[in-house]
């Protein structure tokens, strides 16, 4: 269970190495040129003081969307901090996989956003993109942890891009009564560790009803197993 710490809007200057980035962690990159759009990316690795390797998600990608000599902004979420930094593209590569080598930033701008403890669980859950018809087939996945503010799921797919909304459905026990929870979450981060088939997707709950909040508080405080 995570230890809760105060969250706020204060922007901190933090060394990149203290972010604890893991290979496969989802990022967004955007070239600092007029009309450039955000691109989904992932973190491959970094050598302190030398460079940061980022590339497109998917092993079959062939283009990074970045060009040597350009400056880009990189954004990500660690599960506790939202962070961003500016960097120059030192080189781009296509083999053995597509990635860009960025200049290593001494510090990044970071904002702590985790507000609640997470309770470790292992509950079958279903997910589908928010707003689609209710008869749209749902994806079966596993809830890994949960709090009144968000959750993490283990999924065979990414579920979408950063900021996309997902509808979660799960059966739980609330005071010995079965309850079907239907929750909307915004994707904050997703990553796949090397050698694993599953993606770990972090979600922040949106538009919770008073009943949703009550049930979530009960589940996380009482650590009640699901049905």
């Amino acid at each position: 269970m995570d230890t809760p710490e105060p969250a706020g809007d204060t922007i901190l200057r933090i060394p990149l190495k203290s972010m604890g980035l893991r290979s496969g962690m989802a990022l967004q990159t955007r070239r600092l040129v007029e009309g450039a759009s955000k691109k989904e990316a992932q973190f491959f690795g970094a050598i302190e003081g030398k460079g940061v390797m980022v590339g497109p998600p998917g092993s079959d990608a062939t283009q990074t969307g970045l060009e040597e000599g350009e400056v880009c902004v990189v954004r990500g979420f660690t599960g506790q901090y939202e962070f961003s930094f500016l960097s120059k593209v030192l080189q781009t590569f296509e083999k053995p996989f597509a990635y860009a080598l960025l200049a290593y930033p001494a510090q990044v701008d970071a904002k702590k956003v985790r507000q609640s403890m997470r309770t470790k669980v292992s509950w079958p859950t279903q997910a589908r993109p928010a707003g689609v018809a209710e008869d749209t087939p749902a994806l079966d996945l596993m809830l890994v942890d949960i709090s009144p503010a968000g959750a993490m799921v283990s999924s065979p797919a990414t579920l979408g891009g950063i900021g996309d909304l997902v509808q979660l459905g799960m059966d739980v026990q609330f005071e010995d009564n079965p309850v079907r929870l239907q929750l909307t979450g915004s994707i904050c981060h997703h990553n796949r560790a090397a050698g694993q088939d599953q993606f770990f997707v972090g979600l922040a709950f949106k538009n919770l009803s008073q009943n949703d909040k009550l049930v979530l508080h009960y589940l996380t405080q009482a650590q009640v197993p699901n049905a």
Side-chain angles (χ1 to χ4, degrees):
M1 188 181 302
D2 293 340
T3 301
E5 297 183 48
D9 294 328
T10 303
I11 303 298
L12 306 172
R13 295 286 290 169
I14 297 177
L16 176 65
K17 65 179 182 180
S18 69
M19 288 285 94
L21 301 186
R22 302 180 300 277
S23 179
M25 183 172 287
L27 302 172
Q28 285 184 339
T29 60
R30 182 172 63 84
R31 301 158 57 205
L32 288 187
V33 296
E34 186 175 354
S37 59
K38 297 176 182 178
K39 301 290 186 182
E40 298 296 323
Q42 63 177 314
F43 173 78
F44 289 129
I47 301 175
E48 186 177 356
K50 294 184 180 295
V52 178
M53 293 179 289
V54 303
S59 59
D60 57 346
T62 59
Q63 298 293 326
T64 65
L66 300 172
E67 295 183 13
E68 187 173 327
E70 290 184 325
V71 174
C72 67
V73 60
V74 179
R75 299 185 184 278
F77 179 63
T78 67
Q80 185 177 27
Y81 288 94
E82 291 179 349
F83 68 92
S84 65
F85 62 88
L86 290 174
S87 184
K88 184 178 181 180
V89 181
L90 301 179
Q91 287 180 279
T92 61
F93 301 86
E94 295 182 357
K95 296 180 179 180
F97 52 87
Y99 72 95
L101 179 66
L102 310 181
Y104 189 92
Q107 293 183 315
V108 301
D109 293 327
K111 180 175 71 173
K112 184 176 288 186
V113 296
R114 172 64 60 82
Q115 299 181 27
S116 304
M117 293 192 305
R118 290 286 178 90
T119 300
K120 302 295 183 182
V121 295
S122 183
W123 298 348
T125 305
Q126 295 79 45
R128 60 169 59 89
V132 301
E134 291 188 4
D135 59 355
T136 301
L139 182 67
D140 291 323
L141 40 79
M142 189 67 68
L143 196 72
V144 176
D145 64 35
I146 191 168
S147 80
M152 180 178 289
V153 298
S154 172
S155 168
T158 63
L159 303 184
I162 305 300
D164 287 350
L165 297 179
V166 176
Q167 188 77 36
L168 293 181
M170 66 191 80
D171 295 309
V172 300
Q173 287 283 345
F174 177 64
E175 296 183 339
D176 296 325
N177 294 309
V179 173
R180 178 68 176 177
L181 271 182
Q182 298 282 359
L183 305 171
T184 299
S186 173
I187 298 175
C188 298
H189 64 95
H190 55 78
N191 66 83
R192 180 172 60 182
Q196 294 189 4
D197 294 332
Q198 297 291 305
F199 286 86
F200 291 92
V201 185
L203 301 162
F205 294 141
K206 301 291 185 181
N207 305 318
L208 292 174
S209 69
Q210 193 61 38
N211 185 69
D212 292 336
K213 294 176 182 178
L214 178 63
V215 175
L216 286 169
H217 179 77
Y218 178 84
L219 293 173
T220 54
Q221 294 302 315
Q223 301 185 44
V224 176
N226 75 313

